[in-house]
Amino acid sequence: MIEVEGLTKRYGPTVAVSDVTFQVRKGEVLGFLGPNGAGKTTTMRVITGYLPPTAGTVRVAGFDVVEQPLEAKRRTGYLPELPPVYPDMTVDEYLAFAGRIKGVAGAELKKRMDAVSETCAVSDVRRRQIGKLSKGYRQRVGLAQALIHNPDVLVLDEPTAGLDPKQIIETRQLIKSLAGQHTVILSTHILPEVSKTCERVVVINGGKIAAVGTPEELTRRLQGFETVLVTVEGPEKEVKEKIERIEGVNLVERHEASDGRVTFEVHAAKDKDVRAEVARAVVESQWKLFELKTSGLSLEEIFLKLTTKDLGEEPAAT
Ligand SMILES: Nc1ncnc2c1ncn2[C@@H]1O[C@H](COP(=O)(O)OP(=O)(O)OP(=O)(O)O)[C@@H](O)[C@H]1O
Ligand SMILES: [Mg+2]
């Protein structure tokens, strides 16, 4: 639905985005994750047709954003970093204004205004002035504006920035509810955002793609080995030795202990799931198994790994 190919954007001597290629599939929510200055907003401005690329192409729903800008824009809703809301307008006036700009009029406009107000939970403030709304409401009005012409594609630049925790949860739920019907790309430099809302992540750093994948894939790729946490009630030394003898297990470390239970961190070869064997070993010896789970790197750790230069591992496949 969105195809970005070899996209480069320079501002004078500054290379903001360099040879970026990725796709967003229909109905998918893709997270665009990167630190400040990574090139997220720049990429989004090119996708939405607000900035011409220096090199490369972007297609939205099959339409080239440079060659067929009207066709592409008709299918795109954009929530910029700073929502373009006019404080003196009422919500209704603003949505009508945004709708007309996008070629929605008459009875259809009324219908769409009702629909997006409902979807974005702003129905109760439609007659209020935007300037007097809370930040969370204003953000939802911004989303309603992006949806007014029922676009296939939604481009949301940091949609939860500056919101309080409750508003963040509400906005995430709203975005999730839009998936499927719409194809969504959202940018963020906040990690929980992508794991909570997105199926796939593109990590961008210094204008270049650092990695692409599901949060789970990124974890596996970076970790290099699988880690299993197992909590057992039993003789510590024997338990450790028995797990160490399991095929594929490289290392067993004592993680923590309390109330007579010990948790071990079991490192196994990459792509080797030793959980079943670990469980069998424990139960066979009639020790008590309390918990068994894989322990991935947190997204926080992945993000740091991907965006810290000296740790720059093999660049991930795109
Ligand atoms: N209009 C501009 N003129 C010159 N340089 C710019 C312009 N806009 C952005 N840049 C530069 O391009 C790079 C990428 O900026 P961009 O705004 O795309 O990053 P970002 O990932 O959106 O960052 P943030 O998380 O802070 O919003 C930065 O180095 C920035 O200074
Ligand atoms: Mg930005």
Side-chain angles (χ1 to χ4, degrees), residues 258-280:
S258 66
D259 300 333
R261 296 174 195 172
V262 192
T263 302
F264 295 100
E265 211 177 293
V266 181
H267 294 193
K270 197 176 181 176
D271 301 325
K272 186 111 188 164
D273 192 344
V274 296
R275 280 176 298 179
E277 287 303 314
V278 171
R280 195 207 317 260

Side-chain angles (χ1 to χ4, degrees), residues 55-214:
T57 57
V58 176
R59 275 193 302 274
V60 172
F63 297 102
D64 188 298
V65 297
V66 175
E67 316 256 303
Q68 299 151 293
L70 291 180
E71 294 290 354
K73 273 194 180 153
R74 192 172 298 158
R75 288 162 181 84
T76 312
Y78 180 31
L79 177 69
E81 216 163 11
L82 301 168
V85 288
Y86 299 92
D88 295 336
M89 285 188 186
T90 65
V91 171
D92 259 352
E93 284 166 352
Y94 175 60
L95 291 180
F97 166 75
R100 279 190 214 105
I101 287 180
K102 290 169 179 168
V104 190
E108 179 60 19
L109 179 57
K110 273 221 148 51
K111 224 173 78 191
R112 288 301 305 159
M113 283 167 63
D114 290 344
V116 298
S117 299
E118 181 79 19
T119 308
C120 300
V122 295
S123 297
D124 52 333
V125 297
R126 289 178 64 171
R127 303 230 163 107
R128 301 253 312 261
Q129 266 186 3
I130 291 171
K132 292 181 180 159
L133 297 176
S134 71
K135 172 126 196 171
Y137 265 104
R138 253 180 283 161
Q139 195 75 354
R140 294 211 293 271
V141 171
L143 264 174
Q145 162 276 135
L147 281 166
I148 192 79
H149 56 309
N150 201 16
D152 294 332
V153 167
L154 275 174
V155 179
L156 313 175
D157 200 351
E158 312 238 7
T160 60
L163 301 184
D164 73 27
K166 185 163 166 278
Q167 294 168 336
I168 289 178
I169 292 170
E170 286 166 2
T171 305
R172 278 180 192 152
Q173 279 166 351
L174 171 55
I175 292 169
K176 271 196 176 160
S177 75
L178 298 172
Q181 302 227 16
H182 304 269
T183 303
V184 182
I185 169 166
L186 71 87
S187 76
T188 178
H189 56 268
I190 310 163
L191 291 153
E193 204 63 56
V194 290
S195 57
K196 295 262 160 53
T197 331
C198 307
E199 295 141 61
R200 225 155 46 90
V201 188
V202 169
V203 183
I204 182 170
N205 186 36
K208 294 204 168 89
I209 289 189
V212 183
T214 64

Side-chain angles (χ1 to χ4, degrees), residues 228-247 249 251-257 260-267 274 277-292:
V228 173
L229 285 177
V230 56
T231 306
V232 180
E233 193 178 288
E236 186 175 327
K237 192 159 166 286
E238 279 175 56
V239 177
K240 184 166 183 284
E241 284 170 2
K242 180 142 191 190
I243 296 174
E244 275 167 351
R245 283 197 297 271
I246 295 170
E247 202 202 315
V249 169
L251 182 71
V252 181
E253 285 179 318
R254 183 178 194 270
H255 188 67
E256 58 181 15
R261 296 174 195 172
V262 192
T263 302
F264 295 100
E265 211 177 293
V266 181
H267 294 193
V274 296
E277 287 303 314
V278 171
R280 195 207 317 260
V282 172
V283 173
E284 236 174 39
S285 306
Q286 311 216 319
W287 301 321
K288 285 188 188 145
L289 178 63
F290 282 94
E291 203 177 9
L292 183 62

